[in-house]
Amino acid sequence: MKLWGGRFTKQTNQLVHNFNASLSFDQKFYEEDITGSIAHVTMLAEQGILSSEDKEAIISGLKGIMEDITSGALEIDEEHEDIHSFVEAHLIERIGDAGKRLHTGRSRNDQVALDMKLYTRKEILEMDSLLKNLLESILKIMKENLDTIMPGFTHLQKAQPITLAHHMGAYFEMFKRDRDRLHDTYERMNFCPLGSGALAGTTYPLNRARTAELLGFTGPTLNSMDSVSDRDYLIEFSSAMSIIMMHLSRFCEEIIIWNTNEYQFIEIDDSYSTGSSIMPQKKNPDIAELVRGKTGRVYGTLISLLTTMKGLSLAYNKDMQEDKELVFDAIDTTKGCILLFNGMLDTITFKKDNMRASAEGGFTNATDAADYLVNHGVPFRDAHGIIGQLVLFCIDNNKSLGEMTLDEYKAISPVFEEDIYDAISMETCVEKRNTIGAPGQKAMQEVINIYEKYLAE
Ligand code: ARG
């Protein structure tokens, strides 16, 4: 059934129909379309615009359609233009004339704006709960690794010793901010466009606050032109998803590096690895690579949407139909990646001995050795130079700072005493860093307590 045949004298060209139609993808929100329609007719009847018999007939017809689509009894065929036409046609087929009154005081423009908002709202909440699960996995690793020493890096060069808990905590912060971004988007978008009509409201005495309330919105939107042409929330959501993917991708990059034969900081579980068809020895981190790779795809949604919207005059333009496939794909991709990543992270084995040996090996305690001299009265700039000489000596003699003899130390500076060894032990390096946000156990424990409370809320 077409919703607009009246003023046409010719059939639509088949290719035009195919090009114009959105049913193949907007059927994804059939439930939201029907839920919106039920709220609409409930309000129409309350306002005396629709009889209560018609309302009852429409609602039970719509519920039947929803059940039948869900059970598979009613198949969504490609003959209709979009999910809105599909549902309306089937309603009329099932309940007759009452069905023809469903669209009173409504346009597909406010209808699709509503459906997409309802769908997005639900998906934001689902994504948020997946992120929460991921934060729980990260926090578990943090709690188990307060004293697992590893090198911290800058420029991917060993810098200073940290702990695995501290490293994981950085990702906790990132995904926590991601949840905040989702919450912000949700709050800002949660206004109901229904009742905005095609662009200029309607002549019926609709109660827009009531439909907003029935559908769980904060209230109705305040400008009907904006209501039918606002896709900001999809751009914001795509931006939030792009940032989530960027965080996952950085994490994946580290996992890929840590999993190499050169690093051996971790072992990805067999159940989350793949093999090679030719090289029998290979165990590849494909999941991490795929998550990293799919990041580009989600960025693509953000850029595509921004580009689609940039030249559009008010109000609705068909260009906006392009929002759906893009955003659906970004949502499915991001959710899938969070889920898979979480599973991979949960089953990773951390090779703590290798992490510690790596931290010992790369002069990660050089700053602390300089601080030792400063504490014994040497100006920092001089101390920096002295430790530089020590490092050179160690490189030439294939030693770490901890392996030098006291005589060797004293040959470079007489200030060194026996207590230098304790001052530059990995434990001391970490434990001396106990300001909030630093890797020392006390500081980390405080942060973990805050995170526990946050996740319990
Ligand atoms: N499929 C359309 C979309 O996704 C629905 C709105 C159609 N409105 C219209 N005036 N043709 O945007």
Side-chain angles (χ1 to χ4, degrees):
M1 182 193 88
K2 275 211 170 47
L3 300 176
W4 40 266
R7 65 100 70 206
F8 287 78
T9 54
K10 282 189 188 170
Q11 287 287 316
T12 317
N13 174 297
Q14 188 57 44
L15 288 177
V16 171
H17 170 83
N18 298 348
F19 190 65
N20 188 49
S22 52
L23 185 63
S24 64
F25 47 88
D26 65 16
Q27 57 182 273
K28 208 167 175 104
F29 51 51
Y30 74 89
E31 283 186 50
E32 286 75 13
D33 190 72
I34 291 174
T35 307
S37 290
I38 291 175
H40 181 61
V41 296
T42 303
M43 178 277 295
L44 288 180
E46 285 172 6
Q47 295 297 102
I49 303 166
L50 192 72
S51 72
S52 67
E53 300 80 68
D54 281 347
K55 178 197 84 173
E56 294 304 331
I58 293 173
I59 292 181
S60 81
L62 287 172
K63 285 187 175 161
I65 292 172
M66 172 124 74
E67 273 165 28
D68 290 350
I69 298 177
T70 306
S71 73
L74 177 57
E75 216 180 292
I76 299 182
D77 51 63
E78 293 289 305
E79 166 202 341
H80 298 276
E81 180 180 334
D82 52 32
I83 190 65
H84 324 297
S85 334
F86 176 87
V87 171
E88 195 174 322
H90 279 274
L91 184 68
I92 294 169
E93 197 181 294
R94 288 181 181 203
I95 67 165
D97 275 355
K100 296 182 183 166
R101 299 187 202 282
L102 165 66
H103 210 54
T104 312
R106 191 174 69 172
S107 155
R108 272 185 301 166
N109 295 352
D110 59 344
Q111 188 178 357
V112 76
L114 172 69
D115 294 359
M116 196 61 185
K117 270 197 169 178
L118 289 174
Y119 184 84
T120 304
R121 226 174 48 170
K122 179 187 79 185
E123 292 293 333
I124 286 180
L125 292 182
E126 269 188 38
M127 198 170 287
D128 180 62
S129 86
L130 289 176
L131 283 178
K132 190 169 186 217
N133 293 345
L134 176 57
L135 287 178
E136 266 151 15
S137 302
I138 295 174
L139 187 60
K140 179 167 171 279
I141 299 173
M142 289 177 72
K143 288 202 269 186
E144 290 165 0
N145 290 285
L146 275 168
D147 56 359
T148 305
I149 286 171
M150 65 178 285
F153 296 83
T154 64
H155 314 270
L156 201 51
Q157 308 276 333
K158 289 180 204 176
Q160 288 172 342
I162 54 161
T163 63
L164 180 56
H166 192 238
H167 199 111
M168 289 291 134
Y171 285 104
F172 194 102
E173 284 291 314
M174 291 181 231
F175 295 118
K176 183 163 166 275
R177 285 196 296 274
D178 286 328
R179 291 189 72 202
D180 287 347
R181 264 183 284 274
L182 292 182
H183 294 167
D184 287 351
T185 305
Y186 188 103
E187 290 303 320
R188 205 168 11 259
M189 70 169 277
N190 199 26
F191 291 87
C192 185
L194 189 61
S196 297
L199 76 161
T202 76
T203 56
Y204 300 92
L206 304 183
N207 183 350
R208 293 195 53 217
R210 177 69 175 136
T211 35
E213 183 197 343
L214 286 170
L215 293 166
F217 286 97
T218 309
T221 52
L222 298 183
N223 182 291
S224 58
M225 301 254 280
D226 178 54
S227 306
V228 293
S229 62
D230 166 32
R231 299 294 182 271
D232 289 5
Y233 67 99
L234 296 175
I235 295 173
E236 283 187 35
F237 187 26
S238 301
S239 163
M241 288 191 281
S242 296
I243 299 174
I244 292 169
M245 290 301 297
M246 179 266 288
H247 291 155
L248 285 175
S249 186
R250 292 183 70 180
F251 210 158
C252 283
E253 174 69 10
E254 298 205 305
I255 285 173
I256 291 163
I257 293 172
W258 293 354
N259 191 59
T260 56
N261 193 40
E262 286 71 22
Y263 273 76
Q264 298 188 37
F265 281 10
I266 59 170
E267 174 143 6
I268 300 176
D269 196 68
D270 276 4
S271 59
Y272 281 85
S273 307
T274 46
S276 156
S277 60
I278 178 167
M279 297 167 282
Q281 85 283 12
K282 288 274 266 184
K283 192 175 136 186
N284 294 328
D286 282 28
I287 300 309
E289 291 170 36
L290 271 174
V291 171
R292 189 178 59 184
K294 284 177 193 290
T295 304
R297 188 160 149 176
V298 176
Y299 291 2
T301 288
L302 174 61
I303 300 301
S304 298
L305 265 183
L306 283 167
T307 311
T308 295
M309 294 303 293
K310 79 182 248 297
L312 297 189
S313 59
L314 285 174
Y316 176 83
N317 295 272
K318 191 69 174 232
D319 314 46
M320 292 171 183
Q321 178 166 289
E322 286 297 307
D323 63 358
K324 289 168 202 65
E325 287 165 288
L326 290 168
V327 172
F328 292 159
D329 181 69
I331 291 172
D332 293 345
T333 304
T334 308
K335 275 168 52 184
C337 287
I338 301 171
L339 196 69
L340 263 292
F341 182 88
N342 198 358
M344 176 177 67
L345 184 68
D346 261 342
T347 49
I348 277 178
T349 310
F350 293 97
K351 299 181 171 175
K352 301 182 186 184
D353 292 347
N354 292 350
M355 286 180 162
R356 194 196 161 93
S358 172
E360 302 260 11
F363 305 107
T364 57
N365 47 5
T367 316
D368 296 76
D371 289 344
Y372 172 92
L373 291 175
V374 170
N375 289 332
H376 289 75
V378 181
F380 180 77
R381 198 44 62 207
D382 294 341
H384 190 285
I386 293 169
I387 304 303
Q389 290 175 47
L390 290 181
V391 169
L392 263 185
F393 174 86
C394 286
I395 292 171
D396 288 345
N397 294 278
N398 199 19
K399 285 184 172 192
S400 69
L401 287 174
E403 286 164 349
M404 287 177 63
T405 66
L406 190 56
D407 286 342
E408 287 165 344
Y409 270 109
K410 281 190 173 295
I412 293 176
S413 168
V415 180
F416 288 111
E417 295 298 342
E418 193 60 41
D419 59 351
I420 178 63
Y421 296 105
D422 188 44
I424 61 165
S425 80
M426 292 293 116
E427 277 70 21
T428 312
C429 293
V430 168
E431 273 322 303
K432 275 205 163 155
R433 290 173 165 79
N434 254 317
T435 50
I436 194 78
Q441 284 206 39
K442 201 175 128 285
M444 277 310 302
Q445 189 57 56
E446 258 181 74
V447 170
I448 285 174
N449 295 345
I450 294 170
Y451 289 170
E452 274 189 322
K453 253 210 201 131
Y454 160 81
L455 286 178
E457 271 164 18

